[in-house]
Every structure is written in C-alpha cells, then in structure tokens.
Amino acid sequence: MSALLAGKRLLVTGVITDQSIAFSVAKLAQENGATVVLTGFGRMSLVQRIAKRLPVEAPVIELDVTSPQHLAGLADRVREHVDGLDGLVHSIGFAPQSCLGGGFLDAPWEDVATALHVSTYSYKSLAMAALPLMGPGSAVVGLTFDGTVAWPVYDWMGVAKAGLESASRYLAVHLGPKGIRSNLVSAGPLRTMAAKSIPGFEAFENAWTERAPLGWQLTDQEPAARACLALLSDWFPATTGEIVHVDGGYHAVGA
C-alpha cells in the first residue's frame, strides 16, 4: 500500500483530535504518498496542534460548512497549498443535545435544522465548493453510521445520516458525468469525541463487541480509514453511490 495514493492531493475535514477517523485518514494518506490539507472550525488552535502530530505537518484552513462565505472562498484557500484536489473527505457531523439521547419527539425544528444542515446538506455544499479543484478520477468520500434502521439514542442524527446516504447517491448521479465518484464508509461505533457527546452511546458499544462476526475494536479507527483510502485511490474507478460497511460484519447479522 506504500504507493496507494502517490501524488494524490486530498482535503480532509473533521480532524479534531488524534482519535478521530479523519486524523487516521490524514495520517495513512500521507504514509501512502498523498499531500493533505485539513480544515477546522471553532477550535482552530486545537486542530493546528493536532496537524503537527501527522507524519508531515499539514496546513489547516478554517471552514464553517454552514457559511456561504467560507464555502465560496474555499477553492482559493486550498490553492494556496495545492494546485488541485484528487480527493475530498467529509467527516463532519453535529446535532444539538436536544436531538440525541431520546429527544426525538421533543427536539425543536431549529435544532433539527442545524443537525441536517451540518451533517447532511454540507456533503453536497462541500463537494460543490471543492468542485473547481477536482477533475475526472477524483473522489468524494464521507463517513456515516448505518442510516437504514432506527438506533436507540441516535434520534435525529440517525435521520441526518440517512439523508447523508441519500445525498451521496444523488451526488454520484450528478457528478458521475464529470468523472467524479461519491461513496461513503459506514463505520461501527468508535470512541471518538462525537460518540462521547451522545448520551447512552455505550449501548452501541456493547452490542457491537458482542455480536460483530469479526469482533470490533472500539478504539481502532484504522480499518475505517483504510476503507476511505481505498475509495480515494484509483482501485475503485467504476464504483460510486456505494456504502462500504466497516463494522466487523454487524450490519449482516439479524436482530
């Protein structure tokens, strides 16, 4: 795999700590020959510190995916570091606390709208902001958590993920004629900062470790990251609109 992404230029979003899937993607991508640019928002000094822990310190661009101004200026900001993009990694999700932990029936629309804007619509808006930098053979890869069923405590974030999965399929349709692929990686539960913000998330952890056919390591982000790298590489030239499950096989097991 040493040359899997040789010469590729990637924009990776969602690096907050070195325990995030996005950090693992950025690290493995560099180790496999890619040049990486990161984005961050709200905790820029933290993201910049984390960027220094990569094999090669990556530049960090501030990006609020709900800001039309930030999105409009993204291509120019990226061009300050690389002359184009071969891959885009969407690792962004957020929902107010009212939308999680059993609050499905009570969450107000304003909070639900925030969850859908940040976690779902941003997939399309980020791709469009980066589109001027991307050409045939490029790939957009996002991260999801199985949106085909209803999960305890996941509530409106589950709805947002279901929307993300649909958005990826539509993006695949509309970007396909340009030679650009759109795929998602559906990872099992991992002890990331995002997971820690969901009340009752340990219920997911217990189920996975007990029932996943291959077993499941709650602190190992690398399997999901490796799947992202494969989808960003040239080894899947005719695959788009797909969801690759990296969950120890849990999705294949009946209740």
Side-chain angles (χ1 to χ4, degrees):
M1 291 181 62
S2 60
L4 184 65
L5 297 180
K8 298 289 188 184
R9 302 152 298 174
L10 306 181
L11 183 67
V12 179
T13 67
V15 174
I16 298 177
T17 73
D18 55 8
Q19 298 302 309
S20 63
I21 298 174
F23 178 86
S24 189
V25 169
K27 177 177 180 291
L28 288 175
Q30 287 186 343
E31 292 173 349
N32 284 275
T35 298
V36 174
V37 178
L38 305 179
T39 74
F41 176 69
R43 301 179 180 180
M44 292 301 294
S45 60
L46 174 59
V47 179
Q48 288 162 351
R49 287 200 300 273
I50 296 300
K52 295 178 180 179
R53 300 180 185 177
L54 291 169
V56 177
E57 182 178 352
V60 181
I61 297 171
E62 184 175 18
L63 176 64
D64 175 2
V65 290
T66 68
S67 166
Q69 292 77 23
H70 279 205
L71 291 167
L74 179 63
D76 288 338
R77 295 292 307 279
V78 172
R79 286 192 187 99
E80 295 174 7
H81 307 286
V82 291
D83 59 359
L85 289 176
D86 303 290
L88 173 63
V89 178
H90 180 281
S91 181
I92 299 171
F94 171 77
Q97 282 298 306
S98 66
C99 296
L100 300 163
F104 182 83
L105 297 179
D106 301 316
W109 165 243
E110 291 76 12
D111 288 353
V112 172
T114 296
L116 296 177
H117 193 174
V118 176
S119 309
T120 306
Y121 185 76
S122 68
Y123 188 73
K124 188 280 298 185
S125 56
L126 180 63
M128 295 308 296
L131 188 58
L133 301 168
M134 303 174 77
S138 300
V140 183
V141 176
L143 290 159
T144 188
F145 186 81
D146 191 355
T148 63
V149 296
W151 297 101
V153 310
Y154 210 43
D155 295 328
W156 284 103
M157 183 56 85
V159 176
K161 290 298 187 182
L164 174 66
E165 293 174 8
S166 182
S168 178
R169 290 188 288 270
Y170 278 96
L171 199 66
V173 169
H174 289 282
L175 295 188
K178 300 179 184 296
I180 300 173
R181 295 165 283 132
S182 172
N183 294 289
L184 299 178
V185 171
S186 182
L190 293 162
R191 288 178 180 164
T192 61
M193 183 176 291
K196 292 176 182 177
S197 69
I198 302 174
F201 194 77
E202 60 275 5
F204 292 99
E205 299 179 347
N206 296 336
W208 246 266
T209 55
E210 292 172 3
R211 298 183 59 214
L214 291 175
W216 185 247
Q217 297 297 319
L218 298 165
T219 58
D220 186 4
Q221 289 80 20
E222 188 167 314
R226 282 176 173 259
C228 291
L229 262 62
L231 291 170
L232 291 165
S233 78
D234 296 329
W235 283 94
F236 283 87
T239 298
T240 194
E242 187 59 85
I243 301 174
V244 177
H245 289 83
V246 183
D247 63 355
Y250 185 95
H251 73 283
V253 180

